[in-house]
Amino acid sequence: QVQLVESGGGLVQPGGSLRLSCAASGKIFSIYRMGWYRQAPGKQRELVARITDDGDTDYAEFVKGRFAISRDNAKKTVHLQMNSLKPEDTAVYYCLIEFQVIVAGSWFDYWGQGTQVTVSS
């Protein structure tokens, strides 16, 4: 079984910063990609940022220049540094990993439970 523990969400004023973390554990052989998605009330879940095991990154246009994703392969963790936060960044942020259980096995997706980020004065 796989566990994802997310942390770092909370309430922050506009212009402030937060750092989200997601730690994976359990029956994981390797993780290809780790990422963060978000879902605001009444909206669809959307990609925020993701990173491969080689360090290749993708960012949504609305966070470029403000957010930075990083990962520690040895610790199976991914971080999202969020700066210059705006009220429209308010959402539940979810961690997603794409992983294998065994070498050369199938790839699976696994979602975290989500962590609330609220940007408000």
Side-chain angles (χ1 to χ4, degrees), residues 16-77:
S17 298
L18 284 174
R19 186 172 188 253
L20 304 184
S21 297
C22 174
S25 62
K27 196 172 182 180
I28 298 171
F29 172 72
S30 68
I31 302 175
Y32 168 59
R33 189 153 47 200
M34 306 181 82
W36 289 96
Y37 290 70
R38 71 185 189 186
Q39 187 167 19
K43 295 187 177 182
Q44 289 189 332
R45 194 172 297 188
E46 60 185 355
L47 171 69
V48 176
R50 58 188 182 182
I51 182 169
T52 69
D53 52 3
D54 287 339
D56 292 332
T57 57
D58 289 321
Y59 289 94
E61 283 296 323
F62 53 78
V63 302
K64 283 185 178 179
R66 300 190 297 127
F67 292 9
I69 192 169
S70 61
R71 68 185 276 177
D72 183 326
N73 291 330
K75 295 182 178 180
K76 298 185 178 68
T77 58

